Amino acid sequence: MKKTYLFLLAAMTLFAGCQEKDEIFEDPYAGGKEALGIKMDPNVPASPVGGLPGTEVTIRAAGLVPYKDQLEFAFNGTPAEVLEVSETQIKVKVPSFASTGVVSVSIGNQVFFGPKFTVRGKINIDPSFRAVAGTDGGINQVLPLVDGRYLILGNFTNYDNKGVVKKLNRIVMTTKDGDLDRSPRFGEAANGQLTSAVQASNKFVIAGGFSGFDEQTGKISNITRLNNNGTIDTMSVTTYTDSLIWVPVFNGGTDQGINELFLQGDKIIGVGNFRYHVSRIYDQPTYDLEADSIILDSVEMRQVVRFNMDGSLDKTYHFDDSKEMGFRAANGPVRDSYMDEEGRLILVGNFTTFDGEPAGSIVRLTADGKLDESFQAGSGTSEAISSITYNEQTEKYLITGNFRSYNGTAVSGMALLNKDGSLDASFQPGEIGGGYVYYAKQLSDGMIIASGGFQEYNKVRRNGFMILDKTGKLMEGYNSTGPLNGSLTGVLETEAGSGERALLLTGYFYYFDDRQVNNIIRVTLD
């Protein structure tokens, strides 16, 4: 599974101060407001405590009769039909697209909160997924392996409470059902965030923002290679003074972090907001003492670099021979990327030029690293793009961000693209309120999973998570879940332990559907 994570650095700042599970609401009588004599106890359960849309629900309440013609009742912010008001209770009907959360009564500018109500639907947290404690930091990528296991990378040191005694530093291997697989010998693992991995020649190449892995410290620049048993792939070199030292086989890296890796034949492409490719020279002395020294060599390669399998720089890709440096790349940050089956790389972010040519935050490079003029993005987007995903079955790209147009056509923060970059006009996203979509993924049947910092979609309350059909409409029965606090970086189509259709959701989130969760869950789809 590809991951998208850079946009979350800003987004998570917004969530950092919101780690309490219970929301705190305004006192309706604060500031000298006159009491209306209304009483609703949040601790008295509704009857029933949960149900499908259309269910008739009774809430204990007093003092509503004088206001029965002006009150508004809502399930987690979604207005509901009021069936009956008496001196002791109010009876209402659960509306379509209601979601799990607190019920409320509004009279003028005063709001009275009642108990939580669980709206049942076609998406539910899978109890058979065993990693119930999740991680203590965000997850950037889940790489499915051919044997059914997962390689999980991120910014965590604990997984499902298995890293309490000995930390699990940013990389673990698990079974399909979430059990920790302790067979890999990662040792102390990475001393910084891991963002991406590819599997090549029975080895793993991992990348992120780190300078050491297990016993190899100070000899890594954000990317290295592991053996299939999890140990770092090393070799011996002879220094200037004929000393023998062990160093990583992968002798290459970047001066800043790498966001994403792609395997292209027998080459590896790295994408990030770095400026230089770096490598180490071990057999030359210091200039003054003629003693052993590690010399860091560098070549300017902005944002995109292609490595040979030993880490050396491939100067045949996105490289200006006349200047002995990489092309200029984007004039702003690259936030996400995707490589298609033909080796063409799509880059998105917040930039207006790429390699000196106009670009509206999206470009495609040919397999040899040149600007692909056949990509029909035109003027691109009006504002930044935060993520791009692709589904091989539908052959569609899905981009998200805070943009309002794509190639001159009005769109609202999401756009579905054909393989050639042209806009798929059959997808008509609704109006997004209270924020924007950070990440979205189209499933193989056309269904779309979206998450972010938004609060409404077409004036329907959706707190950070929603499921749309392929035309952009909210899907009935699939939008009953309560808030997702945080955002996703990945959605993997899989199956539950019982064989049901399921999704593995990963990212930076801590609360979903009225439950405390930690960055990884599996949900079933009816």
Side-chain angles (χ1 to χ4, degrees):
M1 176 187 295
K2 73 182 292 296
K3 58 96 203 77
T4 303
Y5 86 106
L6 185 60
F7 65 89
L8 289 167
L9 298 179
M12 288 305 100
T13 303
L14 299 177
F15 298 118
C18 305
Q19 298 295 312
E20 292 296 327
K21 178 177 178 180
D22 296 327
E23 297 183 56
I24 300 174
F25 301 101
E26 180 187 1
D27 182 349
Y29 305 125
K33 296 176 183 176
E34 181 181 356
L36 299 181
I38 294 172
K39 294 182 179 179
M40 265 192 6
D41 189 347
N43 298 313
V44 176
S47 178
V49 296
L52 295 167
T55 301
E56 294 185 2
V57 181
T58 300
I59 309 291
R60 292 287 299 273
L64 295 178
V65 172
Y67 310 100
K68 64 180 182 179
D69 295 328
Q70 64 186 96
L71 65 81
E72 295 180 359
F73 191 93
F75 287 84
N76 192 28
T78 302
E81 178 186 358
V82 177
L83 303 176
E84 177 184 313
V85 178
S86 71
E87 293 292 345
T88 59
Q89 62 188 32
I90 179 172
K91 183 180 288 188
V92 294
K93 182 183 291 188
V94 180
S96 297
F97 301 114
S99 55
T100 296
V102 174
V103 302
S104 63
V105 171
S106 300
I107 300 171
N109 62 356
Q110 298 196 39
V111 184
F112 304 85
F113 296 98
K116 289 183 178 179
F117 183 85
T118 300
V119 182
R120 300 192 177 98
K122 298 180 179 180
I123 178 170
N124 295 282
I125 294 178
D126 179 11
S128 69
F129 188 67
R130 299 192 182 100
V132 294
T135 60
D136 62 343
I139 293 174
N140 294 322
Q141 185 191 19
V142 175
L143 179 66
L145 306 179
V146 293
D147 60 8
R149 294 180 296 171
Y150 297 143
L151 188 68
I152 300 178
L153 300 90
N155 201 25
F156 53 84
T157 60
N158 193 0
Y159 177 86
D160 201 28
N161 287 335
K162 303 299 190 302
V164 175
V165 177
K166 179 178 172 55
K167 290 184 177 181
L168 304 170
N169 289 321
R170 291 114 191 162
I171 182 170
V172 293
M173 192 172 288
T174 74
T175 67
K176 188 175 181 179
D177 288 325
D179 289 318
L180 180 67
D181 182 349
R182 293 190 179 275
S183 61
R185 295 158 56 189
F186 296 129
E188 296 299 319
N191 64 358
Q193 178 173 213
L194 296 179
T195 59
S196 188
V198 294
Q199 192 171 16
S201 303
N202 205 29
K203 296 180 185 290
F204 298 104
V205 179
I206 60 172
F210 65 108
S211 61
F213 192 94
D214 200 16
E215 78 279 0
Q216 291 289 335
T217 58
K219 300 171 186 173
I220 294 173
S221 295
N222 307 306
I223 181 171
T224 197
R225 194 169 77 188
L226 307 181
N227 298 308
N228 63 359
N229 64 358
T231 59
I232 189 167
D233 193 4
T234 58
M235 64 180 180
S236 62
V237 297
T238 302
T239 68
Y240 175 76
T241 62
D242 290 329
S243 298
L244 196 66
I245 62 173
W246 290 88
V247 300
V249 169
F250 196 90
N251 185 9
T254 54
D255 63 314
Q256 299 291 328
I258 296 173
N259 300 343
E260 200 130 25
L261 292 180
F262 300 98
L263 185 64
Q264 187 192 48
D266 60 351
K267 311 284 187 178
I268 294 170
I269 292 179
V271 179
N273 289 297
F274 47 80
R275 186 168 180 175
Y276 295 97
H277 171 275
V278 298
S279 59
R280 288 166 173 78
I281 300 172
Y282 299 101
D283 61 355
Q284 294 185 16
T286 57
Y287 292 108
D288 51 352
L289 300 177
E290 293 194 351
D292 285 342
S293 176
I294 298 177
I295 298 173
L296 201 63
D297 194 19
S298 63
V299 177
E300 187 167 359
M301 290 294 300
R302 295 173 183 261
Q303 297 170 317
V304 182
V305 60
R306 189 162 72 180
F307 299 95
N308 296 308
M309 279 298 176
D310 62 357
S312 59
L313 176 62
D314 180 359
K315 293 184 179 181
T316 66
Y317 185 86
H318 204 245
F319 192 80
D320 188 342
D321 291 314
S322 65
K323 297 181 180 179
E324 273 297 304
M325 60 183 288
F327 291 122
R328 283 175 283 181
N331 66 343
V334 172
R335 294 182 173 172
D336 201 9
S337 50
Y338 184 85
M339 178 171 286
D340 67 16
E341 60 273 16
E342 297 177 40
R344 297 174 299 188
L345 182 66
I346 296 182
L347 306 168
V348 300
N350 188 13
F351 49 88
T352 57
T353 66
F354 194 94
D355 288 347
E357 298 294 327
S361 295
I362 180 170
V363 295
R364 186 169 72 186
L365 304 184
T366 62
D368 58 358
K370 296 181 174 63
L371 271 175
D372 187 349
E373 296 180 359
S374 69
F375 191 62
Q376 300 179 32
S379 59
T381 58
S382 58
E383 301 292 341
I385 301 174
S386 62
S387 75
I388 180 169
T389 57
Y390 180 72
N391 188 280
E392 294 180 355
Q393 278 67 45
T394 64
E395 297 188 330
K396 303 290 183 182
Y397 293 100
L398 184 60
I399 60 173
T400 69
N402 62 349
F403 52 85
R404 306 295 295 178
S405 68
Y406 182 83
N407 197 19
T409 300
V411 292
S412 180
M414 288 188 288
L416 197 64
L417 310 181
N418 299 308
K419 286 187 71 174
D420 62 2
S422 60
L423 184 68
D424 183 345
S426 68
F427 178 70
Q428 297 287 326
E431 191 64 28
I432 299 165
Y436 69 96
V437 178
Y438 303 146
Y439 173 92
K441 176 72 179 289
Q442 185 177 47
L443 306 183
S444 299
D445 61 358
M447 186 185 298
I448 290 170
I449 311 296
S451 75
F454 53 87
Q455 297 176 355
E456 290 184 346
Y457 186 76
N458 276 345
K459 299 189 183 303
V460 175
R461 175 70 69 171
R462 295 306 304 144
N463 294 101
F465 182 83
M466 59 186 176
I467 299 183
L468 312 177
D469 67 16
K470 62 183 179 181
T471 70
K473 296 178 182 177
L474 286 168
M475 293 190 66
E476 289 197 30
Y478 289 94
N479 282 279
S480 59
T481 58
L484 183 146
N485 288 13
S487 189
L488 303 178
T489 58
V491 174
L492 177 65
E493 295 186 66
T494 182
E495 61 182 26
S498 57
E500 299 172 88
R501 184 186 182 196
L503 304 174
L504 185 67
L505 307 181
T506 54
Y508 288 70
F509 56 93
Y510 64 92
Y511 196 57
F512 179 71
D513 197 22
D514 199 31
R515 300 191 199 182
Q516 185 80 34
V517 295
N518 294 297
N519 308 306
I520 181 169
I521 53 172
R522 192 167 67 190
V523 298
T524 58
L525 299 173
D526 293 342

